[in-house]
Amino acid sequence: TVVEGCAAAPIGPSYREPDEKPQATVSGKIKFDTVHVLPQTPQLIALLTIIRDQNTQRGDFIFYSNRIIRLLVEEGLNHLPVKEHEVTTPLGRTYAGVRFEGKICGVSIMRAGESMEQGLRDCCRSVRIGKILIQRDEETAQPKLFYHKLPNDIAERWVLLLDPMNATGGSASMAVEVLKSKGVAEERILFLNLIASPEGLEHFASKFPKLRVITAFIDEGLDDKNYIVPGLGDFGDRHFGTL
Ligand code: URA
């Protein structure tokens, strides 16, 4: 298998003694170099602990999942190209830095992906955001494309594709096909999610070998209804209050 499962690990900075660090379950590992898992820091694990808790109320669910979304967006942006850029500081000294290069846009997979739009806007002012609606066809049980609206020049942009839960990867695969049909190169797509299943990631990485996935956590797997376990339930229902 290409996945090493989740395991308990001591959480905390390396300088702290092992017996001073609490144990917590950390993300599984996957052997695809296109899949990037956020560092399993005490803050990230604490945030995930809150949003996984069935007793967490909606206001806290939104607040704490937004903090994770912010980390995902910042990490996603690290994958975009930059070029050298020198500035002069108020002390008259030069600083050899970099600046962003290239245009971006977000694309949310409705409905749950829309919950990640604000986190993207918080980092990228006035970013363009397209939408794709894919739902399961009741007759065939296959994902079906119902709606999409994307920036006209999307083929020239880097795309941050947003969906908080990467379960089977079925809807996301269809969304990627839509983006590719509009001329977006696979290597310019960054798929951001909070929790991914090993099944969804393997499916995705083998189907789209150049597309990068940024996730906060690789969970154990899927149950018989394709919910991620241990997971956090239905992200869209918890975020939008439609339980
Ligand atoms: N979508 C969710 O919201 N939760 C899951 O566990 C799987 C898909």
Side-chain angles (χ1 to χ4, degrees):
T1 174
V2 290
V3 182
E4 275 171 45
C6 311
I11 296 295
S14 54
Y15 59 77
R16 206 158 278 158
E17 294 300 322
D19 61 0
E20 290 172 12
K21 297 189 208 178
Q23 293 272 324
T25 309
V26 296
S27 171
K29 295 191 173 85
I30 196 159
K31 294 188 185 98
F32 284 109
D33 55 14
T34 49
V35 177
H36 300 269
V37 183
L38 293 186
Q40 302 293 289
T41 61
Q43 283 298 307
L44 177 65
I45 297 296
L47 297 171
L48 283 162
T49 307
I50 295 170
I51 65 167
R52 286 180 187 276
D53 186 342
Q54 61 175 346
N55 294 317
T56 295
Q57 297 301 303
R58 184 168 169 228
D60 281 346
F61 184 85
I62 294 173
F63 181 83
Y64 292 104
S65 54
N66 278 344
R67 281 188 56 194
I68 302 175
I69 291 163
R70 181 78 182 238
L71 296 173
L72 288 167
V73 172
E74 294 286 2
E75 181 51 28
L77 295 174
N78 281 332
H79 290 258
L80 304 182
V82 286
K83 72 176 193 194
E84 288 175 10
H85 181 59
E86 191 175 270
V87 290
T88 307
T89 73
L91 289 95
R93 298 275 305 270
T94 55
Y95 174 73
V98 294
R99 71 168 168 223
F100 303 123
E101 200 181 42
K103 295 192 286 185
I104 66 161
C105 71
V107 171
S108 60
I109 303 180
M110 293 161 75
R111 160 183 76 132
E114 292 173 301
S115 65
M116 300 174 76
E117 293 177 1
Q118 190 55 47
L120 177 59
R121 282 197 206 95
D122 289 344
C123 297
C124 311
R125 252 185 311 172
S126 65
V127 62
R128 291 171 194 218
I129 300 183
K131 308 228 182 212
I132 298 182
L133 175 61
I134 294 161
Q135 278 181 329
R136 194 146 60 129
D137 187 309
E138 293 303 332
E139 279 172 24
T140 63
Q142 294 302 311
K144 184 173 166 188
L145 176 66
F146 281 88
Y147 170 83
H148 64 280
K149 187 79 185 167
L150 302 165
N152 289 335
D153 59 353
I154 195 162
E156 294 155 30
R157 292 178 181 270
W158 288 76
V159 178
L160 283 85
L161 181 64
L162 311 174
D163 197 357
M165 304 295 276
N166 179 3
T168 61
S171 315
S173 289
M174 185 167 272
V176 172
E177 298 294 0
V178 173
L179 297 175
K180 288 175 73 172
S181 75
K182 302 286 174 195
V184 182
E186 211 174 287
E187 54 268 41
R188 282 185 170 231
I189 303 173
L190 301 163
F191 181 32
L192 309 187
N193 33 85
L194 283 88
I195 302 185
S197 76
E199 294 89 332
L201 288 172
E202 281 195 54
H203 167 91
F204 226 76
S206 37
K207 194 160 172 197
F208 306 115
K210 293 188 193 146
L211 183 152
R212 271 161 283 180
V213 180
I214 322 279
T215 190
F217 206 98
I218 305 175
D219 249 359
E220 277 168 31
L222 298 172
D223 72 4
D224 56 2
K225 293 194 176 113
N226 286 337
Y227 274 86
I228 299 178
V229 285
L232 49 71
D234 188 299
F235 194 98
D237 281 344
R238 294 191 68 188
H239 181 93
F240 293 109
T242 46
L243 282 165

